[in-house]
Amino acid sequence: MSEESGVSDWNPVEGLTIAIDGPSGSGKGTVAKMLADELALPVLDTGLLYRLTGSVALQRDVSLDCESDVAALVDDLLTDIDWTVDGVFFAGENVTSQLRNEQVGAAASQVAAMLSVREKLLGLQHLLAEKGCIMDGRDIGTVVLPNAPAKFFLTASVRERARRRWAQLKDDSDSSLEGVLAELKMRDQRDAERQHAPLKQANDAIGIDSTTLRVDEVIDRMLGVLERRKLIARSVS
Ligand code: DC
């Protein structure tokens, strides 16, 4: 984004979709937002849909072990969800900030393992991706947008990811770095080993290990790929 004008330096091709997948704490949310700013594209964080499902299941005492009950809950939620670039609105309220805690993250990981829940949330993701966007999650390159012309898979060492997550959480909770690390390892295992749409790099995705990279270095690599593929071009001023 050009600092003086607030106008993007880049023109994306019409309807460009970019998939960014990776494990918790890999930085994909931050990177997706920055790239979206650079390209003036909407960004959609798909983890929020699973987080909302997990959160409402906890509030309504829906058993996280019962797939049919959680699936019925999703049917109910879908009538009241508004999922926008500003986050998730439920019953008219932006609930995004309430969804970013470890308890909801753990519940989200459980409901995300359920095939019927994933299938029910797929239509909404397709609908919003239609006009072009950057979407981040776990299965965007493999399942949600398999034909996206640009796919990135962001990783970082588990210790570095735990350190980032802990730095985000520590003002609002008394969790220890070791506790966050243990939780992250458990979540990684559940997301990668689940039967349906497990976390895995799409064959045609470009892997970026961000353990020792700054966010702007990651963004530069992505812009380079997009430019070489002629998916973006510099604006002529
Ligand atoms: O990215 P996150 O931590 O907000 O995601 C919450 C959970 O949802 C996480 O356990 C993985 C799951 N998820 C998924 O299965 N598929 C997606 N496209 C996005 C998130």
Side-chain angles (χ1 to χ4, degrees):
M1 190 78 75
S2 131
E3 274 177 26
E4 303 92 58
S5 62
V7 172
S8 173
D9 293 332
W10 297 97
N11 285 326
V13 295
E14 186 147 354
L16 176 62
T17 49
I18 300 174
I20 304 182
D21 289 303
S24 300
S26 58
K28 60 189 185 317
T30 308
V31 163
K33 279 199 200 82
M34 277 186 70
L35 192 63
D37 276 351
E38 286 285 343
L39 304 179
L41 278 176
V43 60
L44 294 161
D45 170 358
T46 58
L48 290 175
L49 296 179
Y50 297 96
R51 283 178 179 265
L52 179 67
T53 306
S55 166
V56 179
L58 291 175
Q59 281 164 28
R60 295 190 187 170
D61 275 333
V62 173
S63 167
L64 295 175
D65 295 321
C66 180
E67 178 162 351
S68 56
D69 286 358
V70 178
L73 174 69
V74 174
D75 283 333
D76 193 25
L77 295 182
L78 282 173
T79 60
D80 238 348
I81 292 185
D82 199 5
W83 186 42
T84 76
V85 291
D86 295 323
V88 168
F89 289 72
F90 181 55
E93 187 194 350
N94 188 342
V95 292
T96 312
S97 60
Q98 300 163 33
L99 302 178
R100 300 211 190 276
N101 63 65
E102 292 301 281
Q103 193 197 10
V104 169
S109 173
Q110 269 183 272
V111 302
M114 299 171 174
L115 179 62
S116 52
V117 168
R118 303 197 72 85
E119 285 176 346
K120 284 175 191 295
L121 294 175
L122 199 55
L124 183 57
Q125 295 172 74
H126 283 156
L127 192 72
L128 284 160
E130 247 170 27
K131 293 197 178 104
C133 70
I134 297 175
M135 213 172 237
D136 78 85
R138 303 294 192 289
D139 62 339
I140 310 305
T142 49
V143 176
V144 182
L145 302 174
N147 298 322
K151 302 177 184 176
F152 297 100
F153 193 85
L154 216 57
T155 55
S157 72
V158 68
R159 192 152 271 284
E160 172 60 15
R161 291 189 286 115
R163 194 197 59 72
R164 291 176 190 169
R165 184 53 47 109
W166 178 66
Q168 275 173 352
L169 290 173
K170 72 174 186 238
D171 292 339
D172 301 324
S173 86
D174 50 11
S175 43
S176 67
L177 175 58
E178 290 311 314
V180 173
L181 179 65
E183 171 63 34
L184 202 69
K185 283 184 176 164
M186 215 163 68
R187 183 117 51 99
D188 275 359
Q189 191 178 5
R190 201 183 294 138
D191 291 342
E193 289 181 357
R194 69 181 178 218
Q195 193 184 350
H196 311 296
L199 170 69
K200 87 172 195 282
Q201 181 168 346
N203 292 336
D204 53 350
I206 293 180
I208 300 179
D209 184 337
S210 73
T211 308
T212 59
L213 293 178
R214 293 190 315 269
V215 180
D216 59 303
E217 293 173 314
V218 175
I219 298 291
D220 278 348
R221 285 193 192 191
M222 291 178 159
L223 289 174
V225 170
L226 296 169
E227 194 178 18
R228 280 194 297 283
R229 292 188 180 179
K230 301 198 180 345
L231 296 171
I232 59 172
R234 277 192 189 279
S235 308
V236 185
S237 49

